[in-house]
Amino acid sequence: MRKKLATALLTATVGLSSLIAAPAAQAQVTSTQGARIVRTAEAYRGVPYVWGGSSPRGFDCSGLTWYTFRRLGRWIPRTAEGQWTASRHTRTPVEGDLVFVHSGSYVFHVAIYVNSRTWLEAERPGRGVNLYRPWSRSVWYGYFTLPR
């Protein structure tokens, strides 16, 4: 009797765990999506840096990423910290991923990863949206996929 009960409980537990399976992992940005992200953001090269800016009249770092993804149909948080928190994290960035510059656990800047030698970003006052060489090694990477 005990053996039958144990078998029944095990079967029920295994069956229940398959019903409560974790959601499928979101795939990393595809090369096509990454190219779309970079191409969309590149359209704003030369736009001036404006602290708190989130339009083609002027962008700050997270305003550029927020606006770019919004144009592509994907809502993301407005701040660099919020974008880091909401993104899927990766150690192997691909074109179109986001680069998060941090100090300890505090994320203070975000850029779009183009390749290992290039970020697309609204860097700071006096330097508008453009392609820049990576300027920090204190980075984490994250990504958002685009709607189909």
Side-chain angles (χ1 to χ4, degrees):
M1 180 70 171
R2 282 187 164 173
K3 188 173 182 179
K4 285 184 181 180
L5 181 57
T7 303
L9 285 172
L10 180 61
T11 303
T13 303
V14 170
L16 183 59
S17 67
S18 65
L19 291 174
I20 308 175
Q26 185 178 8
Q28 194 163 354
V29 173
T30 66
S31 59
T32 304
Q33 287 181 340
R36 284 180 58 209
I37 293 164
V38 170
R39 191 171 55 248
T40 300
E42 276 187 321
Y44 304 106
R45 285 179 71 180
V47 170
Y49 179 94
V50 173
W51 187 86
S54 57
S55 80
R57 289 186 304 249
F59 290 111
D60 67 7
C61 65
S62 58
L64 174 65
T65 53
W66 175 82
Y67 191 84
T68 297
F69 278 87
R70 191 171 134 200
R71 296 270 305 165
L72 293 167
R74 175 70 194 247
W75 182 91
I76 65 173
R78 173 58 184 83
T79 65
E81 181 73 35
Q83 290 172 15
W84 166 249
T85 301
S87 70
R88 294 280 197 164
H89 303 160
T90 182
R91 291 178 186 213
T92 54
V94 297
E95 181 183 31
D97 284 354
L98 299 181
V99 180
F100 296 95
V101 183
H102 64 92
S103 176
S105 63
Y106 174 67
V107 172
F108 63 88
H109 184 75
V110 62
I112 298 171
Y113 183 89
V114 178
N115 58 48
S116 64
R117 296 173 315 280
T118 313
W119 296 348
L120 179 57
E121 60 188 317
E123 190 181 39
R124 65 177 187 258
R127 300 187 72 175
V129 176
N130 214 333
L131 298 167
Y132 296 101
R133 298 178 96 156
W135 47 268
S136 177
R137 290 186 178 186
S138 295
V139 297
W140 294 321
Y141 303 102
Y143 63 92
F144 295 96
T145 56
L146 300 176
R148 294 177 194 226

